[in-house]
Amino acid sequence: MPTSPTLSKRRRVGPRTGHRLLTFVGAASLVLGTAVAPAAADSPADDVVTSDNVTHVANVPKPSPVTNTNSDLAFTGDYAISGNYDGFVIYDISTPESPQIVSKVLCEGGQGDVTVSGDLLYFSVDYPRRSEECGAASSTPADPTAFEGIRIFDISDKTAPRYVAAIRTDCGSHTNTLVPGKDGRTDYIYVSSYAPSERFPNCQPPHDKISIIEVDTHDPASAKVVAEPVLFPDGGNHDQPGLLRPTEGCHDITAYPEKDIAAGACMGDGILMDISDPVNPVVTEQVRDTNFAFWHSATFSNDAKTVLFTDELGGGGAATCNERIGPERGANAIYTLKNGKLDFEGYYKLPRHQSATENCVAHNGSLIPVPGQDFFVQAWYQGGVSIIDLNDPANAREIGYFDRGPIDENRLVGGGSWSAYYYNGYIYSNDMTRGFDVLKVDDRRLRPAEKVTYDEFNPQSQPRYKPGR
């Protein structure tokens, strides 16, 4: 079990893909800090442009010492948890237009994908460290003793998260997905990872599997890997021209636990799975697309009759939202699910061309919970945030947006919105470089979503919503 670093509490003040391309610096222990007031939204330096129905209401810059690349988001009650390559930050969003930092956890490991389950936080480590401890120096995948995998934190006290367990997984954890057990006290964590090599003792090819961790939520320190199902016994898609990577396990999985299904975005393949037995997922459908370079993520419609997959052309580091690349690459592919089969309906690509110095491609998003309708909000790196009408899957269209100008007008500098999710009346965006943003939408089509509230939200563990929930 990891040794928890010494913690200091703060005084509460006032009213929350990347691939292996980014580097980070420094080794230190878990740190908790003081509140940071939100910056004024739409300051001149931001060069923000929005549609008439979107207002940028708050921005909180990345706080020291958690200043590396911001990544994914998870939500619990009045809190948002922001993943970062250096650790994570917990925001109090009880007043969404004035988010306050509650705690900052410095525990490096790269990627920083976050999932919350009650008082537990699951955190992905995808850059090897010399040990499981927070503050351990960086290592290499060639070191057989290096740690990569999942860290578990107890966040029952949001001001003082406590590190309680570390579970090694082959090839680390690029992303993680929660599948709650039906007994009410067991969590299953689907760990997606990739990039195997003969040189890496803990990440050997073929790596056509995922790791499944079982967590007794009453005893998280006993968590362990209980299965490593091979999803691609035939090796998956290796031969398609233009693939960023061949199929090697999955990049990300979105589960829909209430319906016992999951969708996997697996580099060269898009798949559906039956997860009625969460330890033994069964692939039931597999699709490919010659326009896709990297199947990155997936989202179901609320009725699970539509599935949206994203293509992260260029790995998140390239300028692909332009006329030269066109509307069918680096886009969303939208399918309808009929009799267990995925039927392709159409693409959606950001309609606002970006400059040659802005990395831009389809990335993480979630449904806006309008009962009986399909609306989606999505991050596009420096393409900003797009709000999409999916009600006609063959003709998806943008109905709102938030977009900053380039970080640098003269050279390509990576940044922009990694994740954009709707949660309890607001859109929250985690910008890789500029921090935590809050957006408010005023659109009659989306107002019914304001009656849908969640106590907890992990976009990759998709809840079913009902009016007035």
Side-chain angles (χ1 to χ4, degrees), residues 224-309:
K224 61 183 182 296
V225 175
V226 294
E228 294 178 316
V230 174
L231 303 181
F232 300 95
D234 64 351
N237 187 359
H238 283 241
D239 302 323
Q240 178 179 309
L243 286 180
L244 184 67
R245 295 197 73 93
T247 299
E248 303 162 333
C250 289
H251 174 274
D252 207 350
I253 293 171
T254 293
Y256 198 155
E258 185 168 319
K259 293 183 177 291
D260 285 332
I261 56 175
C266 306
M267 284 149 270
D269 292 274
I271 62 172
L272 293 182
M273 292 182 283
D274 179 336
I275 59 170
S276 53
D277 178 356
V279 178
N280 295 290
V282 177
V283 175
T284 59
E285 175 70 330
Q286 187 172 355
V287 290
R288 295 173 181 172
D289 186 331
T290 56
N291 284 317
F292 263 43
F294 191 93
W295 294 73
H296 178 276
S297 52
T299 303
F300 292 97
S301 62
N302 190 50
D303 61 9
K305 293 180 180 179
T306 301
V307 187
L308 179 149
F309 289 98

Side-chain angles (χ1 to χ4, degrees), residues 152-227:
I152 302 178
F153 292 85
D154 181 330
I155 58 168
S156 52
D157 180 352
K158 303 295 185 295
T159 69
R162 184 171 58 90
Y163 186 14
V164 297
I167 304 94
R168 296 171 185 265
T169 58
D170 287 353
C171 299
S173 172
H174 196 72
T175 61
N176 73 84
T177 302
L178 171 67
V179 179
K182 297 185 181 355
D183 62 3
R185 65 171 287 166
T186 304
D187 283 343
Y188 296 96
I189 308 301
Y190 285 15
V191 177
S192 296
S193 55
Y194 59 97
S197 169
E198 296 284 0
R199 299 179 294 112
F200 302 159
N202 300 321
C203 188
Q204 290 284 297
H207 183 75
D208 295 317
K209 64 183 183 180
I210 60 173
S211 297
I212 300 177
I213 296 171
E214 182 178 270
V215 183
D216 180 341
T217 58
H218 296 183
D219 181 22
S222 67
K224 61 183 182 296
V225 175
V226 294

Side-chain angles (χ1 to χ4, degrees), residues 16 71-75 81-83 114 419 421 428-430 436 459:
R16 158 187 149 21
S71 57
D72 217 348
L73 294 167
F75 303 85
I81 302 165
S82 163
V114 287
S419 302
Y421 302 129
Y428 297 89
S429 168
N430 217 20
F436 182 71

